[in-house]
Amino acid sequence: MQSTDSPLVMIVHGGAGNVWPQYHTAAVDGCENAVSAGWQILQRGGTALDAVEAAVRVLEDDEAFNAGIGSVLNAQGEVEMDAGIMDGATLHIGAVAAIRGVAHPISLARRVMEASVHHILAAEGAERFAAAQGFTIIPNRQLITDRRRRQYEKRVAGQEGDTVGALALDIAGNVAAANSTGGVFYKLAGRVGDSPLAGAGFYADNRWGAVATTGQGEHIMRVGLAWRAMQALEEGATAQEAADRALAVLQERVPDARAGLIVLDRAGGIGIAHCTRDLPTAYWLSGAGRPVSALRA
Ligand code: ASP
């Protein structure tokens, strides 16, 4: 491997919640595939931004996760997705909310960041932007899997989670964060969660590190969960301390909270914390020959 100024770090999560036993392997394997995709980019000297986008695209393509194809259905039986991405070098943000008919919301979020003067585009406007930018618009039903259709028909909530997120630290010391989700099951049409909101669902700043959160968006946004972890990093906390402190604030202020987060500090440390039963994660750190994955931290 080439000599690095900065350690390389790639970490992904597959959503805070309860992963049913029959989906344990899919969740862990999916996280490993995604982290490997991002890691390959970092190893070649690619950017953190490219790495998090690539990792999240893998998770969006994987029907095991609540993002892209396989997103949960809203109360009308439709898929509406949110995604956000942030470049820690520039603090530029791109996000999309309540969008339909796009297989890779994370890439559309990145395009919002790079090809518009805005940071968040929602619903039809975001879809028109996607079409104008040459994204293929697919019939929304192509995003609906049998598993999610069955869940909708039986109205089985309770398997919250499966949202995805990724963080990376590249050879040049840049960090990036990305999130993608179908949101929460049986949400009202038009509902937007924390995932596309900087400070709630994600944050990245080269000076300190990067954060991606997951769980009930209505809980996460009330305390600005991602920002809480960033603040802890600024105060000198390690990534794990920052994750723990942010989660402690959430649990103190929102007692029934269901959430989790992954954190990366600029020294290359990682943190994982959750107050749900499960938070599938995988990470790959400089010097390691393979990724490390787990269902629970
Ligand atoms: N945070 C997502 C939302 O509320 C859901 C999740 O992470 O499971 O839309």
Side-chain angles (χ1 to χ4, degrees):
M1 202 180 85
Q2 49 200 319
S3 81
T4 57
D5 294 333
S6 166
L8 304 180
V9 180
M10 187 73 224
I11 178 167
V12 307
H13 75 75
N18 301 330
V19 181
W20 289 353
Q22 64 266 41
Y23 299 120
H24 284 186
T25 307
V28 169
D29 289 354
C31 286
E32 280 199 19
N33 291 338
V35 92
S36 300
W39 181 255
Q40 279 168 27
I41 290 173
L42 295 178
Q43 275 255 303
R44 290 198 302 264
T47 65
L49 207 53
D50 284 345
V52 294
E53 182 187 1
V56 168
R57 283 178 66 98
V58 168
L59 293 162
E60 288 174 336
D61 283 337
D62 188 331
E63 296 186 7
F65 297 98
N66 171 20
I69 185 162
S71 288
V72 296
L73 305 190
N74 67 13
Q76 293 179 329
E78 295 286 351
V79 163
E80 285 187 346
M81 301 165 291
D82 300 337
I85 192 164
M86 183 160 185
D87 178 358
T90 59
L91 304 189
H92 285 155
I93 294 164
V96 290
I99 58 152
R100 301 153 50 107
V102 173
H104 295 110
I106 196 62
S107 295
L108 184 58
R110 182 162 179 186
R111 196 64 67 87
V112 169
M113 178 171 83
E114 292 177 341
S116 86
V117 295
H118 305 301
H119 284 351
I120 308 182
L121 291 179
E124 289 88 354
E127 288 154 24
R128 278 200 296 275
F129 175 78
Q133 287 290 318
F135 280 70
T136 305
I137 306 299
I138 55 175
N140 212 35
R141 64 174 181 280
Q142 283 183 18
L143 298 169
I144 300 178
T145 59
D146 289 346
R147 174 185 163 195
R148 301 301 186 189
R149 172 68 66 201
R150 281 197 304 276
Q151 179 192 27
Y152 180 76
E153 282 161 2
K154 293 186 188 152
R155 304 284 192 274
V156 193
Q159 201 207 336
E160 314 87 5
D162 306 333
T163 282
V164 306
L167 307 174
L169 173 61
D170 68 27
I171 194 169
N174 296 307
V175 297
N179 263 344
S180 185
T181 186
V184 290
F185 176 63
Y186 219 70
K187 64 187 180 180
L188 290 180
R191 178 266 190 188
V192 174
D194 60 299
S195 306
L197 305 181
F202 62 91
Y203 206 84
D205 182 340
N206 276 5
R207 290 179 308 168
W208 311 113
V211 183
T213 75
T214 169
Q216 185 72 35
E218 286 76 6
H219 300 160
I220 291 169
M221 61 177 84
R222 269 189 252 164
V223 299
L225 188 62
W227 183 250
R228 297 276 176 178
M230 288 302 298
Q231 229 173 8
L233 291 177
E234 286 191 38
E235 289 163 12
T238 65
Q240 187 58 52
E241 288 164 353
D244 291 338
R245 273 196 227 168
L247 195 69
V249 172
L250 177 71
Q251 291 186 281
E252 192 186 320
R253 302 306 307 275
V254 185
D256 61 343
R258 291 193 315 273
L261 68 164
I262 55 174
V263 180
L264 165 63
D265 64 42
R266 53 162 299 114
I270 56 162
I272 303 168
H274 54 105
C275 55
T276 51
R277 190 187 64 192
D278 304 315
L279 176 59
T281 54
Y283 55 87
W284 201 325
L285 308 178
S286 284
R290 58 178 317 282
V292 176
S293 53
L295 195 63
R296 298 170 196 129

